Structure formats: C-alpha cells, structure tokens
Amino acid sequence: MNLLETMKCAIFDMDGTLLDSMGMWAELGNDLIRSHEKIPEKNVWYE
C-alpha cells in the first residue's frame, strides 16, 4: 500500500505562500463594525 491509499486527510497551509490574506484582515474589523450599522472611527485598528 502506498501513502495515498492509506491517507484519510491532509492539511496544507497556503496563506503567505500561494495566497496573501493581509488585505482582508486589515478591513475585517471595520467590516464587522459596519455590519452592526455603526461607523468605525478613523484609524481605530492602526495608528
């Protein structure tokens, strides 16, 4: 039996290698605040 026949699952971390999610994280907090119908303050996440 080879590895592919016995393997049930695999975990592959591709963020930073194949994808760059930093742009998403930079706006995620503001998006959350807006989803609660509030206006985020300027530079609330970064100064």
Side-chain angles (χ1 to χ4, degrees), residues 2-47:
N2 68 26
L3 179 64
L4 293 177
E5 292 175 343
T6 59
M7 187 169 45
K8 293 182 181 182
C9 67
I11 297 174
F12 181 73
D13 179 13
M14 59 188 205
D15 190 36
T17 304
L18 300 175
L19 299 175
D20 181 15
S21 66
M22 288 307 294
M24 180 198 74
W25 291 109
E27 282 298 312
L28 188 64
N30 289 334
D31 292 343
L32 176 64
I33 291 171
R34 287 187 195 103
S35 75
H36 291 279
E37 300 179 1
K38 305 288 184 192
I39 299 172
E41 294 180 17
K42 185 177 180 182
N43 296 326
V44 71
W45 301 106
Y46 298 103
E47 294 189 53

